[in-house]
Amino acid sequence: MFINQSKATDTFKKDRASEKPLRSIAKTVSWRIVGTLDTIGISWLLTGQIETALAIGSVELVTKMILYFAHERVWNVINFGRD
């Protein structure tokens, strides 16, 4: 059991050091696709207008990708919960 914990700790340290900005970008884009489709669906449901829903989705797509990327990079330098 202790051997497995040691390997897990070593893997965790390697993973922590290997998080590159490009990975954060890929995660940002994939999450925004899901989030934007959700926003468009909810907006369409509430307004009944697909044009309005697409406009809302387009704006939030850009703003939330920027915010998520910044959030992800800030968390990458915070050690909370890593040790």
Side-chain angles (χ1 to χ4, degrees):
M1 179 173 199
F2 290 111
I3 294 172
N4 289 341
Q5 283 181 326
S6 176
K7 286 182 181 179
T9 302
D10 290 342
T11 301
F12 178 76
K13 286 178 182 178
K14 180 182 174 191
D15 289 345
R16 181 175 76 177
S18 67
E19 183 82 9
K20 304 272 190 272
L22 186 58
R23 178 177 166 83
S24 294
I25 291 170
K27 288 166 61 177
T28 299
V29 171
S30 68
W31 176 244
R32 281 318 323 143
I33 290 168
V34 172
T36 298
L37 290 174
D38 178 58
T39 298
I40 291 170
I42 291 169
S43 299
W44 190 10
L45 182 69
L46 293 175
T47 67
Q49 298 178 0
I50 191 64
E51 296 85 6
T52 302
L54 290 170
I56 293 168
S58 297
V59 170
E60 72 91 42
L61 171 68
V62 174
T63 59
K64 289 188 180 172
M65 277 193 349
I66 293 166
L67 290 170
Y68 180 82
F69 179 78
H71 179 263
E72 186 72 12
R73 298 314 300 162
V74 167
W75 270 99
N76 201 39
V77 298
I78 295 172
N79 287 325
F80 175 76
R82 286 190 171 172
D83 296 324

Coordinates of all heavy atoms in Angstrom, one line a residue:
M1 N 0.8 -1.2 0.0 CA 0.0 0.0 0.0 C 0.9 1.3 0.0 O 0.6 2.2 -0.7 CB -0.9 0.0 1.2 CG -1.8 1.2 1.3 SD -3.0 1.0 2.5 CE -4.2 2.2 2.0
F2 N 1.9 1.3 0.8 CA 2.8 2.5 0.9 C 3.6 2.6 -0.4 O 3.9 3.7 -0.8 CB 3.8 2.4 2.0 CG 3.1 2.5 3.4 CD1 3.0 1.4 4.2 CD2 2.5 3.7 3.7 CE1 2.3 1.6 5.4 CE2 1.9 3.9 4.9 CZ 1.8 2.8 5.8
I3 N 3.9 1.5 -1.1 CA 4.6 1.6 -2.4 C 3.7 2.3 -3.4 O 4.1 3.2 -4.2 CB 5.0 0.2 -2.9 CG1 6.1 -0.4 -1.9 CG2 5.5 0.3 -4.3 CD1 6.4 -1.8 -2.2
N4 N 2.4 2.0 -3.4 CA 1.5 2.6 -4.4 C 1.3 4.1 -4.1 O 1.2 4.9 -5.0 CB 0.1 1.9 -4.3 CG 0.1 0.5 -4.9 OD1 1.0 0.2 -5.7 ND2 -0.8 -0.3 -4.5
Q5 N 1.3 4.5 -2.8 CA 1.2 5.9 -2.5 C 2.4 6.6 -2.9 O 2.3 7.7 -3.4 CB 1.0 6.1 -1.0 CG -0.4 5.8 -0.5 CD -0.5 6.0 1.0 OE1 0.4 5.8 1.8 NE2 -1.7 6.5 1.4
S6 N 3.6 6.0 -2.8 CA 4.8 6.7 -3.3 C 4.8 6.9 -4.8 O 5.1 8.0 -5.2 CB 6.0 5.8 -2.9 OG 7.2 6.4 -3.4
K7 N 4.3 5.9 -5.5 CA 4.2 6.0 -7.0 C 3.2 7.1 -7.3 O 3.4 7.9 -8.3 CB 3.9 4.7 -7.6 CG 5.0 3.7 -7.6 CD 4.6 2.4 -8.3 CE 5.7 1.4 -8.3 NZ 5.3 0.1 -8.9
A8 N 2.1 7.1 -6.6 CA 1.1 8.1 -6.9 C 1.6 9.5 -6.6 O 1.4 10.5 -7.4 CB -0.1 7.9 -6.0
T9 N 2.4 9.7 -5.6 CA 3.0 11.0 -5.3 C 4.0 11.4 -6.3 O 4.0 12.6 -6.8 CB 3.7 11.0 -3.9 OG1 2.7 10.6 -2.9 CG2 4.3 12.3 -3.5
D10 N 4.8 10.5 -6.8 CA 5.8 10.8 -7.9 C 5.1 11.2 -9.1 O 5.5 12.1 -9.8 CB 6.7 9.6 -8.1 CG 7.7 9.3 -7.0 OD1 7.9 10.2 -6.2 OD2 8.2 8.2 -6.9
T11 N 4.0 10.5 -9.5 CA 3.2 10.8 -10.7 C 2.6 12.1 -10.6 O 2.6 12.9 -11.5 CB 2.1 9.7 -10.9 OG1 2.8 8.4 -11.1 CG2 1.3 10.0 -12.2
F12 N 2.1 12.4 -9.4 CA 1.4 13.7 -9.1 C 2.4 14.9 -9.3 O 2.2 15.9 -9.9 CB 0.8 13.8 -7.7 CG 0.2 15.1 -7.4 CD1 -1.0 15.5 -8.0 CD2 0.8 16.0 -6.6 CE1 -1.6 16.7 -7.7 CE2 0.3 17.2 -6.3 CZ -0.9 17.6 -6.9
K13 N 3.6 14.7 -8.8 CA 4.7 15.7 -8.9 C 5.0 15.9 -10.4 O 5.2 17.1 -10.8 CB 5.9 15.4 -8.1 CG 5.7 15.6 -6.6 CD 6.9 15.2 -5.8 CE 6.7 15.3 -4.3 NZ 7.8 14.9 -3.5
K14 N 5.1 14.9 -11.1 CA 5.4 15.0 -12.6 C 4.3 15.7 -13.3 O 4.5 16.6 -14.1 CB 5.6 13.6 -13.1 CG 6.0 13.6 -14.6 CD 6.1 12.2 -15.1 CE 6.3 12.2 -16.6 NZ 6.2 10.8 -17.2
D15 N 3.0 15.3 -13.0 CA 1.9 15.9 -13.6 C 1.8 17.4 -13.3 O 1.5 18.2 -14.2 CB 0.6 15.3 -13.2 CG 0.4 13.9 -13.8 OD1 1.1 13.5 -14.7 OD2 -0.4 13.1 -13.2
R16 N 2.1 17.8 -12.1 CA 2.0 19.2 -11.7 C 3.0 20.0 -12.4 O 2.7 21.1 -12.9 CB 2.3 19.3 -10.2 CG 2.2 20.7 -9.7 CD 2.4 20.7 -8.2 NE 3.8 20.6 -7.8 CZ 4.2 20.6 -6.6 NH1 3.4 20.8 -5.6 NH2 5.5 20.5 -6.3
A17 N 4.2 19.5 -12.7 CA 5.2 20.2 -13.4 C 5.0 20.2 -14.9 O 5.6 21.1 -15.6 CB 6.6 19.6 -13.1
S18 N 4.2 19.3 -15.4 CA 4.1 19.2 -16.8 C 2.9 20.0 -17.4 O 2.7 19.9 -18.6 CB 3.9 17.7 -17.2 OG 2.7 17.2 -16.7
E19 N 2.2 20.7 -16.6 CA 1.0 21.5 -17.1 C 1.6 22.7 -17.8 O 2.1 23.6 -17.3 CB 0.2 22.0 -15.9 CG -1.1 22.7 -16.3 CD -2.2 21.8 -16.7 OE1 -2.1 20.6 -16.5 OE2 -3.2 22.3 -17.2
K20 N 1.4 22.7 -19.1 CA 1.9 23.8 -20.0 C 0.7 24.7 -20.4 O -0.4 24.3 -20.4 CB 2.5 23.1 -21.3 CG 3.6 22.1 -21.0 CD 4.9 22.8 -20.9 CE 6.1 21.9 -20.9 NZ 6.5 21.4 -19.6
P21 N 1.1 25.9 -20.8 CA 0.0 26.8 -21.3 C -0.8 26.3 -22.4 O -2.0 26.5 -22.5 CB 0.8 28.1 -21.7 CG 2.0 28.1 -20.9 CD 2.3 26.6 -20.7
L22 N -0.2 25.5 -23.4 CA -1.0 25.0 -24.5 C -2.0 24.0 -24.0 O -3.1 24.0 -24.5 CB 0.0 24.2 -25.5 CG -0.7 23.7 -26.7 CD1 -1.3 24.9 -27.5 CD2 0.4 23.1 -27.6
R23 N -1.8 23.3 -22.9 CA -2.8 22.4 -22.3 C -3.9 23.2 -21.8 O -5.1 22.8 -21.9 CB -2.1 21.5 -21.3 CG -3.1 20.6 -20.6 CD -2.4 19.7 -19.5 NE -3.3 19.1 -18.6 CZ -4.0 18.0 -18.9 NH1 -3.8 17.3 -20.1 NH2 -4.8 17.4 -18.0
S24 N -3.6 24.3 -21.1 CA -4.6 25.2 -20.6 C -5.5 25.7 -21.7 O -6.7 25.9 -21.6 CB -4.0 26.3 -19.8 OG -3.4 25.8 -18.6
I25 N -4.9 26.1 -22.9 CA -5.6 26.6 -24.0 C -6.6 25.5 -24.5 O -7.8 25.7 -24.8 CB -4.7 27.1 -25.1 CG1 -4.0 28.3 -24.6 CG2 -5.5 27.3 -26.4 CD1 -2.8 28.8 -25.6
A26 N -6.1 24.3 -24.7 CA -6.9 23.2 -25.2 C -8.1 22.9 -24.2 O -9.2 22.7 -24.7 CB -6.1 21.9 -25.3
K27 N -7.8 22.9 -22.9 CA -8.9 22.7 -21.9 C -9.9 23.9 -22.0 O -11.1 23.7 -21.9 CB -8.3 22.6 -20.5 CG -7.6 21.3 -20.3 CD -6.7 21.3 -19.1 CE -7.5 21.6 -17.8 NZ -6.6 21.5 -16.6
T28 N -9.4 25.1 -22.2 CA -10.3 26.3 -22.3 C -11.2 26.1 -23.5 O -12.4 26.3 -23.4 CB -9.4 27.5 -22.5 OG1 -8.6 27.7 -21.4 CG2 -10.2 28.8 -22.7
V29 N -10.7 25.8 -24.6 CA -11.5 25.7 -25.9 C -12.5 24.5 -25.7 O -13.7 24.7 -26.0 CB -10.6 25.4 -27.1 CG1 -11.5 25.1 -28.3 CG2 -9.8 26.7 -27.4
S30 N -12.1 23.4 -25.2 CA -13.1 22.3 -25.1 C -14.2 22.6 -24.1 O -15.4 22.3 -24.4 CB -12.4 21.0 -24.8 OG -11.9 21.0 -23.4
W31 N -13.8 23.2 -23.0 CA -14.9 23.6 -22.0 C -15.8 24.6 -22.6 O -17.0 24.6 -22.3 CB -14.2 24.0 -20.7 CG -15.3 24.4 -19.7 CD1 -15.4 25.7 -19.2 CD2 -16.3 23.6 -19.2 NE1 -16.5 25.7 -18.4 CE2 -17.1 24.5 -18.3 CE3 -16.7 22.3 -19.3 CZ2 -18.2 24.0 -17.6 CZ3 -17.8 21.8 -18.6 CH2 -18.5 22.7 -17.8
R32 N -15.3 25.6 -23.3 CA -16.1 26.7 -23.8 C -17.1 26.2 -24.8 O -18.2 26.7 -25.0 CB -15.3 27.8 -24.4 CG -14.7 28.8 -23.4 CD -15.5 29.2 -22.2 NE -16.9 29.4 -22.5 CZ -17.9 29.1 -21.6 NH1 -17.6 28.5 -20.5 NH2 -19.2 29.3 -21.9
I33 N -16.7 25.2 -25.6 CA -17.7 24.6 -26.6 C -18.9 24.1 -25.8 O -20.0 24.4 -26.1 CB -17.0 23.5 -27.4 CG1 -16.0 24.1 -28.4 CG2 -18.1 22.7 -28.2 CD1 -15.1 23.1 -29.1
V34 N -18.6 23.3 -24.8 CA -19.7 22.8 -23.9 C -20.5 23.9 -23.3 O -21.7 23.9 -23.3 CB -19.1 21.8 -22.8 CG1 -20.2 21.4 -21.9 CG2 -18.5 20.6 -23.5
G35 N -19.8 24.8 -22.7 CA -20.5 25.9 -22.0 C -21.3 26.8 -22.9 O -22.4 27.3 -22.6
T36 N -20.7 27.1 -24.1 CA -21.5 28.0 -25.0 C -22.7 27.3 -25.6 O -23.8 27.9 -25.7 CB -20.5 28.4 -26.2 OG1 -19.4 29.1 -25.6 CG2 -21.2 29.2 -27.2
L37 N -22.6 26.0 -25.9 CA -23.8 25.3 -26.3 C -24.9 25.3 -25.2 O -26.1 25.5 -25.5 CB -23.5 23.8 -26.7 CG -22.6 23.7 -28.0 CD1 -22.2 22.2 -28.2 CD2 -23.4 24.2 -29.2
D38 N -24.5 25.2 -24.0 CA -25.4 25.3 -22.9 C -26.0 26.7 -22.8 O -27.3 26.8 -22.7 CB -24.7 25.0 -21.6 CG -25.6 25.1 -20.4 OD1 -26.6 24.4 -20.3 OD2 -25.3 25.9 -19.5
T39 N -25.2 27.7 -22.9 CA -25.8 29.1 -22.9 C -26.7 29.4 -24.0 O -27.8 30.0 -23.8 CB -24.6 30.1 -22.9 OG1 -23.8 29.9 -21.7 CG2 -25.1 31.5 -22.9
I40 N -26.4 28.9 -25.2 CA -27.2 29.1 -26.4 C -28.6 28.4 -26.1 O -29.6 29.0 -26.4 CB -26.6 28.6 -27.7 CG1 -25.4 29.6 -28.0 CG2 -27.6 28.6 -28.8 CD1 -24.5 29.1 -29.1
G41 N -28.5 27.2 -25.7 CA -29.7 26.4 -25.4 C -30.6 27.1 -24.4 O -31.9 27.2 -24.6
I42 N -30.0 27.5 -23.3 CA -30.8 28.2 -22.2 C -31.4 29.5 -22.7 O -32.5 29.8 -22.5 CB -29.9 28.4 -21.0 CG1 -29.6 27.1 -20.3 CG2 -30.6 29.4 -20.0 CD1 -28.6 27.2 -19.2
S43 N -30.5 30.3 -23.5 CA -31.0 31.6 -24.0 C -32.2 31.4 -25.0 O -33.1 32.2 -25.0 CB -29.8 32.3 -24.7 OG -28.8 32.5 -23.8
W44 N -32.1 30.4 -25.8 CA -33.1 30.1 -26.8 C -34.4 29.7 -26.0 O -35.5 30.1 -26.4 CB -32.7 29.0 -27.7 CG -33.6 28.7 -28.9 CD1 -34.6 29.5 -29.3 CD2 -33.5 27.6 -29.8 NE1 -35.2 28.9 -30.4 CE2 -34.5 27.8 -30.8 CE3 -32.6 26.6 -29.9 CZ2 -34.7 26.9 -31.8 CZ3 -32.8 25.7 -30.9 CH2 -33.8 25.8 -31.9
L45 N -34.2 28.9 -25.0 CA -35.4 28.4 -24.2 C -36.1 29.6 -23.6 O -37.3 29.7 -23.6 CB -35.0 27.4 -23.2 CG -36.0 26.8 -22.3 CD1 -36.9 25.9 -23.1 CD2 -35.4 26.0 -21.2
L46 N -35.3 30.5 -23.0 CA -35.9 31.7 -22.3 C -36.4 32.8 -23.2 O -37.4 33.4 -22.9 CB -34.8 32.3 -21.4 CG -34.4 31.4 -20.2 CD1 -33.3 32.1 -19.4 CD2 -35.6 31.1 -19.3
T47 N -35.7 33.0 -24.3 CA -36.2 34.1 -25.2 C -37.1 33.6 -26.4 O -37.8 34.4 -26.9 CB -35.0 34.8 -25.8 OG1 -34.3 33.9 -26.7 CG2 -34.0 35.3 -24.8
G48 N -36.9 32.4 -26.8 CA -37.7 31.9 -27.9 C -37.1 32.3 -29.2 O -37.7 32.1 -30.3
Q49 N -36.0 33.0 -29.2 CA -35.4 33.6 -30.4 C -34.0 33.0 -30.6 O -33.1 33.3 -29.8 CB -35.3 35.1 -30.3 CG -36.7 35.7 -30.2 CD -36.6 37.2 -30.1 OE1 -35.5 37.8 -30.1 NE2 -37.8 37.9 -30.0
I50 N -33.8 32.3 -31.6 CA -32.5 31.7 -31.9 C -31.4 32.7 -32.2 O -30.3 32.6 -31.8 CB -32.5 30.6 -33.0 CG1 -31.2 29.8 -33.1 CG2 -32.9 31.2 -34.4 CD1 -30.9 29.0 -31.9
E51 N -31.8 33.8 -32.9 CA -30.8 34.9 -33.2 C -30.3 35.5 -31.9 O -29.1 35.8 -31.8 CB -31.5 36.0 -34.0 CG -31.9 35.5 -35.4 CD -33.3 34.9 -35.4 OE1 -34.0 34.9 -34.3 OE2 -33.7 34.3 -36.4
T52 N -31.2 35.8 -30.9 CA -30.7 36.3 -29.7 C -29.9 35.3 -28.9 O -28.8 35.7 -28.3 CB -32.0 36.7 -28.8 OG1 -32.7 37.7 -29.5 CG2 -31.5 37.3 -27.5
A53 N -30.3 34.1 -28.9 CA -29.5 33.0 -28.3 C -28.1 32.9 -28.8 O -27.1 32.8 -28.1 CB -30.2 31.7 -28.3
L54 N -28.0 33.0 -30.2 CA -26.7 32.9 -30.8 C -25.8 34.1 -30.5 O -24.6 34.0 -30.3 CB -26.8 32.7 -32.3 CG -27.4 31.3 -32.7 CD1 -27.7 31.4 -34.2 CD2 -26.4 30.2 -32.4
A55 N -26.4 35.3 -30.4 CA -25.7 36.5 -30.1 C -25.2 36.4 -28.7 O -24.0 36.7 -28.4 CB -26.6 37.7 -30.2
I56 N -26.0 36.0 -27.7 CA -25.5 35.8 -26.4 C -24.4 34.8 -26.3 O -23.4 35.0 -25.6 CB -26.7 35.4 -25.4 CG1 -27.7 36.6 -25.3 CG2 -26.2 35.0 -24.1 CD1 -29.0 36.2 -24.7
G57 N -24.6 33.7 -27.0 CA -23.6 32.6 -27.0 C -22.2 33.1 -27.6 O -21.2 32.8 -27.1
S58 N -22.3 33.9 -28.6 CA -21.1 34.4 -29.2 C -20.3 35.3 -28.3 O -19.1 35.2 -28.2 CB -21.5 35.2 -30.5 OG -22.1 34.4 -31.4
V59 N -21.0 36.2 -27.6 CA -20.3 37.1 -26.7 C -19.7 36.4 -25.6 O -18.5 36.6 -25.2 CB -21.3 38.2 -26.2 CG1 -20.7 39.0 -25.1 CG2 -21.7 39.1 -27.4
E60 N -20.5 35.5 -24.9 CA -19.9 34.8 -23.8 C -18.8 33.8 -24.2 O -18.0 33.5 -23.4 CB -21.0 34.1 -23.0 CG -21.7 32.9 -23.6 CD -21.0 31.6 -23.2 OE1 -20.6 31.4 -22.0 OE2 -20.9 30.8 -24.1
L61 N -18.8 33.3 -25.4 CA -17.8 32.4 -25.8 C -16.4 33.1 -25.7 O -15.5 32.5 -25.1 CB -18.0 32.0 -27.3 CG -16.9 31.3 -28.0 CD1 -16.7 29.9 -27.4 CD2 -17.1 31.2 -29.5
V62 N -16.3 34.3 -26.2 CA -15.0 35.0 -26.2 C -14.7 35.4 -24.8 O -13.5 35.2 -24.3 CB -15.1 36.3 -27.1 CG1 -13.8 37.1 -27.0 CG2 -15.3 35.8 -28.5
T63 N -15.6 36.1 -24.0 CA -15.3 36.6 -22.7 C -14.9 35.5 -21.7 O -14.0 35.6 -21.0 CB -16.4 37.5 -22.1 OG1 -17.6 36.7 -22.1 CG2 -16.6 38.7 -23.0
K64 N -15.6 34.4 -21.8 CA -15.4 33.3 -20.8 C -14.1 32.5 -21.1 O -13.5 32.0 -20.3 CB -16.6 32.4 -20.7 CG -17.7 33.2 -19.9 CD -18.9 32.3 -19.6 CE -19.9 33.1 -18.8 NZ -21.1 32.3 -18.6
M65 N -13.7 32.5 -22.4 CA -12.5 31.8 -22.7 C -11.3 32.6 -22.1 O -10.4 32.0 -21.6 CB -12.3 31.6 -24.2 CG -13.0 30.4 -24.8 SD -12.6 29.9 -26.4 CE -11.7 31.1 -27.2
I66 N -11.4 33.9 -22.3 CA -10.3 34.7 -21.7 C -10.3 34.6 -20.2 O -9.2 34.4 -19.6 CB -10.5 36.2 -22.1 CG1 -10.3 36.3 -23.7 CG2 -9.6 37.1 -21.4 CD1 -10.8 37.6 -24.2
L67 N -11.4 34.7 -19.6 CA -11.5 34.5 -18.1 C -11.0 33.2 -17.6 O -10.3 33.1 -16.6 CB -12.9 34.8 -17.6 CG -13.4 36.3 -17.7 CD1 -14.9 36.4 -17.4 CD2 -12.6 37.2 -16.8
Y68 N -11.4 32.1 -18.3 CA -11.1 30.8 -17.9 C -9.6 30.6 -18.0 O -8.9 30.0 -17.1 CB -11.8 29.7 -18.7 CG -11.4 28.3 -18.3 CD1 -12.0 27.7 -17.2 CD2 -10.5 27.6 -19.0 CE1 -11.6 26.4 -16.8 CE2 -10.1 26.3 -18.6 CZ -10.7 25.7 -17.5 OH -10.3 24.5 -17.2
F69 N -9.0 31.0 -19.1 CA -7.5 30.8 -19.3 C -6.8 31.5 -18.2 O -5.8 31.0 -17.6 CB -7.1 31.4 -20.7 CG -5.6 31.3 -20.9 CD1 -5.1 30.0 -21.3 CD2 -4.8 32.3 -20.8 CE1 -3.7 29.9 -21.5 CE2 -3.4 32.2 -21.0 CZ -2.9 31.0 -21.4
A70 N -7.2 32.8 -17.9 CA -6.5 33.5 -16.8 C -6.7 32.8 -15.5 O -5.7 32.6 -14.7 CB -7.1 34.9 -16.7
H71 N -7.9 32.3 -15.2 CA -8.2 31.6 -14.0 C -7.3 30.3 -13.9 O -6.7 30.0 -12.9 CB -9.6 31.2 -14.0 CG -10.1 30.4 -12.8 ND1 -10.2 29.1 -12.8 CD2 -10.5 30.8 -11.6 CE1 -10.6 28.7 -11.6 NE2 -10.8 29.7 -10.9
E72 N -7.2 29.6 -15.0 CA -6.4 28.3 -15.1 C -4.9 28.6 -14.8 O -4.3 27.9 -14.1 CB -6.6 27.7 -16.4 CG -6.0 26.4 -16.6 CD -6.7 25.2 -15.9 OE1 -7.8 25.4 -15.4 OE2 -6.1 24.2 -15.8
R73 N -4.4 29.7 -15.4 CA -3.0 30.0 -15.2 C -2.7 30.5 -13.8 O -1.6 30.2 -13.2 CB -2.5 31.1 -16.2 CG -2.6 30.7 -17.7 CD -2.1 29.3 -18.0 NE -0.7 29.2 -17.7 CZ 0.0 28.0 -17.5 NH1 -0.7 26.9 -17.6 NH2 1.2 28.0 -17.2
V74 N -3.6 31.2 -13.2 CA -3.4 31.7 -11.8 C -3.4 30.4 -10.9 O -2.5 30.3 -10.0 CB -4.5 32.6 -11.4 CG1 -4.5 32.8 -9.8 CG2 -4.4 34.0 -12.1
W75 N -4.3 29.5 -11.1 CA -4.4 28.3 -10.3 C -3.1 27.4 -10.5 O -2.7 26.7 -9.6 CB -5.6 27.5 -10.5 CG -6.7 27.9 -9.6 CD1 -7.8 28.7 -9.9 CD2 -6.9 27.5 -8.2 NE1 -8.5 28.9 -8.8 CE2 -8.0 28.2 -7.7 CE3 -6.1 26.7 -7.4 CZ2 -8.5 28.0 -6.4 CZ3 -6.6 26.6 -6.1 CH2 -7.7 27.2 -5.6
N76 N -2.5 27.5 -11.6 CA -1.3 26.7 -11.9 C -0.1 27.2 -11.0 O 0.8 26.4 -10.8 CB -0.9 26.8 -13.4 CG -0.1 25.7 -13.8 OD1 -0.3 24.5 -13.3 ND2 0.9 26.0 -14.6
V77 N -0.1 28.4 -10.5 CA 1.0 28.9 -9.7 C 0.6 28.8 -8.2 O 1.5 29.1 -7.4 CB 1.4 30.3 -10.0 CG1 1.9 30.4 -11.5 CG2 0.3 31.3 -9.8
I78 N -0.6 28.5 -7.9 CA -1.0 28.3 -6.5 C -0.8 26.9 -6.0 O -1.2 26.0 -6.7 CB -2.5 28.7 -6.3 CG1 -2.8 30.2 -6.7 CG2 -3.0 28.4 -4.9 CD1 -4.2 30.6 -6.7
N79 N -0.1 26.8 -4.9 CA 0.2 25.4 -4.4 C -0.9 24.8 -3.5 O -0.8 23.6 -3.2 CB 1.5 25.5 -3.5 CG 2.7 25.7 -4.4 OD1 2.8 25.2 -5.5 ND2 3.7 26.5 -3.9
F80 N -2.0 25.5 -3.3 CA -3.1 25.0 -2.4 C -3.5 23.6 -3.0 O -3.9 23.5 -4.1 CB -4.2 26.0 -2.4 CG -5.4 25.5 -1.7 CD1 -5.4 25.4 -0.3 CD2 -6.5 25.0 -2.4 CE1 -6.6 24.9 0.4 CE2 -7.6 24.5 -1.7 CZ -7.7 24.5 -0.3
G81 N -3.6 22.6 -2.1 CA -4.1 21.3 -2.4 C -3.1 20.4 -3.2 O -3.5 19.3 -3.6
R82 N -1.9 20.9 -3.4 CA -1.0 20.1 -4.2 C -0.1 19.2 -3.3 O 0.3 18.1 -3.7 CB 0.0 21.0 -5.0 CG -0.8 21.5 -6.2 CD 0.2 22.2 -7.1 NE -0.4 22.6 -8.4 CZ 0.1 23.3 -9.3 NH1 1.3 23.7 -9.2 NH2 -0.6 23.6 -10.4
D83 N 0.1 19.6 -2.1 CA 1.0 18.8 -1.2 C 0.3 18.0 -0.2 O -0.8 18.4 0.3 CB 2.0 19.7 -0.5 CG 3.0 20.4 -1.6 OD1 3.3 19.7 -2.5 OD2 3.3 21.5 -1.3

